[in-house]
Amino acid sequence: MFTHLHVHSPYSFLDGASKIADIVSSAASLGMKAIAITDHNNLSATVRFIKAAQNTGVKPIIGSELTLESGYHLTVLCRNNQGYRNLCAILSESNLNNPRKEPKVSLSTLRDHAGGLIALTGCRRGLIPSLILRKQFQEARQALKTYESIFEKNSLYIEMSETLLPGSWGLNAALSELAGVSGLRAAATNNVHYLSKDDFSLHDVLTCVRTLTKLEEVHPERRLNAENYLKSSEEMEREFRAYPEAIRATADISGKCECPLQLGESTFPSYDFPREFSSSKAFLRHLVFEGAARRYGKVTDEIRARLDYELYVIEQLGYEDYFLVVWDLVRFAHAAGIRHAGRGSAADSAVAFCLEVTDVDPIAQNLLFERFMSLERGEKPDIDVDFDARKRDEVTSYVYQKYGSDHVASVATYNTFQGRSVIRDVGKVMGYSPEEIDILAKRLPYLPASKVADAFSSVPELRDLKISENKLKTLLSVAQKLADLPRFLSTHLGGVVISRNPVNWLSPVERSAKGVTILQFDKDDVEDLGLVKIDLLSLRTLERWMTLWVT
């Protein structure tokens, strides 16, 4: 049975046109037992891919298409957790050691982190296929020897793609011959970027958005045909009928790979409590009742019962260390004279009140702790703390200093196509004039891309536009299809994770525009990974309040 081992999701950012859930469900409907996601230089799809695969019974294979220092591509897949950690390390180094948004992997980095990885020599943008297409056969053999010096023999495969492009027949014949003389196996792929041929036009629009190209213009990044779709096993077997071993090899590779991550396992660090206490539970209980005496003066039976109940729930769910970490950050801010205020559902917690994380007495206000935490829901607590905007970075620096830069990172967000942005992006690609784009975007209310078509039939300002009806209809159709697709990765306003192990065991890290180390996962992903997010938010009203108070 054939397995797709080179597939791009939307997290190849403007180079993948189909949603993860659709990719996985389509693979399942085609009878495939496994499928890989190999996005460009990132693992952002990993958590959502694993969850989608678990729901359909398809085995997820985690990988990435790397860009080497030479500019050529190399496809790598994780055999196991060791391979996943090594791939995280490779991607982290490629991002941190190069200009932002220009990750490049060195051969020395590959050599240092090759354990647990399977390498495919790449599609047409790989070094070896590129050399063969230029008739540089000796150089191609030498390049393969370099890869052989990095990867174990049973972990290196010659990648063969058949996309019906000029030179494909000769290229695959040469690749098959190279595999034979080197004693390696060839593996068939299709470098998938969308689900069906009908989706080619959408991918072409994304390519034009990425390359700032109009549909009427030529660009080398634009694909020449619609063959990079999720083909069935029968289609792949037919196209590779001269190389049946390359089809069988994909199933063998799939058998070697296992899902490298167990979602939901807690990786939050243990708080370093004082030696006179037997555990973090004991230390938290001490702090809470010490704070209760300070807050209430006298700890009545009602207060004690409420605190005992909350502590029981916290301990049963295993979040005593989380509360201690938040308490420690608030304590630091207080000692440093940094204005702060806890907010949100944490105000329903008497424990948070006694730790001075919040300033609302939930007992006096008759607030229910279950709105914040409960054994039935078993959800992770989410304590938001606002800090004076001028001093928030001091708190963040304290976190890095206390827990180590290898164990702390900011959370990412995925910026998706929204109503106005999709009109501007697609309008430019379709050749709309700047004046037309401006009229459409400015008259459109702030709304998701999925609601754009509805707005044109309901918003009076968008009626009677002097734009071709067919042209407008095409624009709205494309906008609808791009809804919810990620456009780029950015930094969460204040979300920080602290991990028991180095964070790049779970996610590659990269540098944000402000120089902050960020994960390649968003707030939902990190929670599914077992990490706990702490929101260190900046609030300018605290700054203004302090200014008024001083004056």
Side-chain angles (χ1 to χ4, degrees):
M1 172 63 72
F2 173 76
T3 301
H4 278 288
L5 300 175
H6 188 155
V7 180
H8 293 273
S9 83
Y11 294 91
S12 278
F13 298 113
L14 304 181
D15 200 22
S18 298
K19 297 176 182 178
I20 292 172
D22 295 337
I23 293 171
V24 175
S25 62
S26 293
S29 67
L30 291 171
M32 296 178 178
K33 304 299 183 184
I35 189 170
I37 294 291
T38 54
D39 286 319
H40 293 300
N41 303 304
N42 78 74
L43 293 175
S44 290
T46 299
V47 175
R48 296 166 194 228
F49 175 38
I50 291 174
K51 290 177 68 178
Q54 288 173 341
N55 291 335
T56 57
V58 173
K59 182 169 79 170
I61 300 172
I62 309 302
S64 182
E65 186 173 23
L66 305 177
T67 302
L68 303 178
E69 284 185 329
S70 58
Y72 294 105
H73 291 181
L74 184 73
T75 312
V76 295
L77 306 169
C78 302
R79 299 180 70 138
N80 46 35
N81 184 255
Q82 179 201 14
Y84 182 80
R85 289 185 187 179
N86 274 327
L87 183 52
C88 286
I90 289 168
L91 292 170
S92 296
E93 289 190 26
S94 71
N95 277 289
L96 299 178
N97 296 338
N98 290 283
R100 185 171 172 270
K101 300 298 182 183
E102 297 178 24
K104 296 288 179 65
V105 178
S106 69
L107 293 179
S108 61
T109 296
L110 273 182
R111 188 170 284 108
D112 291 341
H113 300 287
L117 292 175
I118 291 174
L120 310 179
T121 52
C123 58
R124 278 185 168 230
R125 296 187 65 180
L127 174 58
I128 290 172
S130 297
L131 290 169
I132 290 174
L133 287 169
R134 296 198 298 266
K135 311 295 184 184
Q136 296 176 275
F137 301 110
Q138 190 59 42
E139 289 83 352
R141 292 191 183 94
Q142 190 59 46
L144 182 59
K145 287 181 180 179
T146 299
Y147 290 151
E148 287 181 293
S149 72
I150 295 173
F151 299 98
E152 296 178 1
K153 197 173 187 68
N154 66 349
S155 296
L156 179 62
Y157 293 79
I158 305 294
E159 183 172 356
M160 297 173 65
S161 293
E162 178 50 82
T163 49
L164 306 182
L165 291 172
S168 285
W169 186 90
L171 172 60
N172 282 336
L175 288 169
S176 178
E177 180 182 349
L178 181 60
V181 299
S182 61
L184 297 174
R185 297 178 69 183
T189 70
N190 200 51
N191 192 14
V192 176
H193 287 261
Y194 40 90
L195 285 184
S196 69
K197 284 190 174 184
D198 292 341
D199 297 319
F200 170 69
S201 58
L202 184 65
H203 180 265
D204 192 36
V205 168
L206 286 172
T207 303
C208 289
V209 171
R210 174 165 48 87
T211 57
L212 303 178
T213 306
K214 295 180 181 178
L215 287 172
E216 62 193 31
E217 298 173 339
V218 175
H219 193 283
E221 291 284 326
R222 295 181 69 183
R223 299 185 181 276
L224 300 177
N225 61 31
E227 292 299 317
N228 294 104
Y229 66 95
L230 194 76
K231 294 179 179 176
S232 67
S233 296
E234 292 75 20
E235 288 175 297
M236 291 298 292
E237 288 167 4
R238 186 164 56 249
E239 291 186 0
F240 283 87
R241 56 187 174 275
Y243 310 103
E245 176 58 26
I247 294 291
R248 288 192 291 271
T250 65
D252 293 339
I253 293 171
S254 172
K256 292 178 181 179
C257 297
E258 60 186 46
C259 183
L261 287 179
Q262 187 68 40
L263 299 184
E265 290 186 346
S266 177
T267 59
F268 197 74
S270 299
Y271 185 79
D272 188 15
F273 54 85
R275 291 183 179 180
E276 60 264 31
F277 295 93
S278 60
S279 65
S280 53
K281 293 179 183 179
F283 185 48
L284 177 61
R285 182 169 287 271
H286 164 76
L287 290 176
V288 168
F289 280 97
E290 183 180 64
R294 196 165 50 248
R295 286 287 203 184
Y296 295 105
K298 179 182 179 181
V299 180
T300 64
D301 290 342
E302 178 192 5
I303 294 170
R304 181 175 295 279
R306 171 68 178 255
L307 293 175
D308 281 337
Y309 168 69
E310 290 194 14
L311 286 168
Y312 171 76
V313 173
I314 292 166
E315 292 166 3
Q316 288 296 303
L317 295 176
Y319 291 116
E320 55 270 21
D321 291 296
Y322 172 71
F323 277 82
L324 288 173
V325 168
V326 175
W327 163 78
D328 184 52
L329 297 180
V330 170
R331 180 183 62 161
F332 165 78
H334 182 75
I338 300 172
R339 293 281 303 174
H340 58 276
R343 62 175 172 87
S345 59
D348 297 316
S349 169
V351 165
F353 177 63
C354 291
L355 293 175
E356 299 186 11
V357 172
T358 59
D359 286 316
V360 175
D361 181 357
I363 298 176
Q365 298 294 326
N366 198 27
L367 301 177
L368 296 176
F369 177 66
E370 287 76 15
R371 290 180 60 238
F372 175 52
M373 289 181 71
S374 74
L375 292 175
E376 290 73 23
R377 292 197 313 274
E379 296 173 347
K380 291 179 172 64
D382 188 8
I383 301 176
D384 297 335
V385 184
D386 294 322
F387 296 93
D388 181 341
R390 299 169 302 176
K391 301 291 186 72
R392 197 275 301 270
D393 289 345
E394 291 183 29
V395 181
T396 304
S397 296
Y398 173 74
V399 174
Y400 278 89
Q401 179 184 352
K402 185 174 180 67
Y403 297 97
S405 58
D406 291 344
H407 295 261
V408 181
S410 292
V411 178
T413 59
Y414 304 126
N415 288 74
T416 57
F417 283 96
Q418 298 299 308
R420 291 185 175 185
S421 65
V422 79
I423 290 296
R424 291 189 180 280
D425 283 334
V426 179
K428 290 176 186 176
V429 166
M430 291 182 62
Y432 278 69
S433 69
E435 292 76 21
E436 289 174 321
I437 293 172
D438 224 32
I439 289 171
L440 292 174
K442 288 183 176 179
R443 292 186 184 183
L444 190 70
Y446 288 102
L447 40 70
S450 60
K451 302 293 185 182
V452 168
D454 295 338
F456 274 80
S457 61
S458 60
V459 176
E461 291 83 357
L462 293 171
R463 295 173 187 166
D464 302 322
L465 295 167
K466 296 180 181 179
I467 297 174
S468 161
E469 185 176 346
N470 286 335
K471 189 177 179 182
L472 184 59
K473 186 176 180 180
T474 302
L475 171 63
L476 298 181
S477 174
V478 173
Q480 186 82 17
K481 292 175 182 177
L482 290 178
D484 299 326
L485 290 187
R487 199 184 187 292
F488 59 89
L489 182 144
S490 61
T491 312
H492 189 278
L493 285 175
V496 172
V497 295
I498 307 170
S499 176
R500 180 185 307 129
N501 301 312
V503 289
N504 69 357
W505 284 15
L506 292 172
S507 168
V509 295
E510 55 185 81
R511 199 81 67 194
S512 73
K514 288 187 175 182
V516 175
T517 302
I518 61 172
L519 305 174
Q520 290 186 344
F521 297 122
D522 76 352
K523 61 183 180 64
D524 296 322
D525 295 336
V526 299
E527 182 172 322
D528 288 327
L529 274 171
L531 292 163
V532 178
K533 174 176 66 73
I534 298 174
D535 284 319
L536 309 178
L537 304 170
S538 61
L539 193 63
R540 295 203 174 274
T541 53
L542 288 175
E543 176 185 341
R544 289 195 293 270
W545 187 94
M546 192 66 179
T547 302
L548 290 169
W549 183 80
V550 171
T551 55

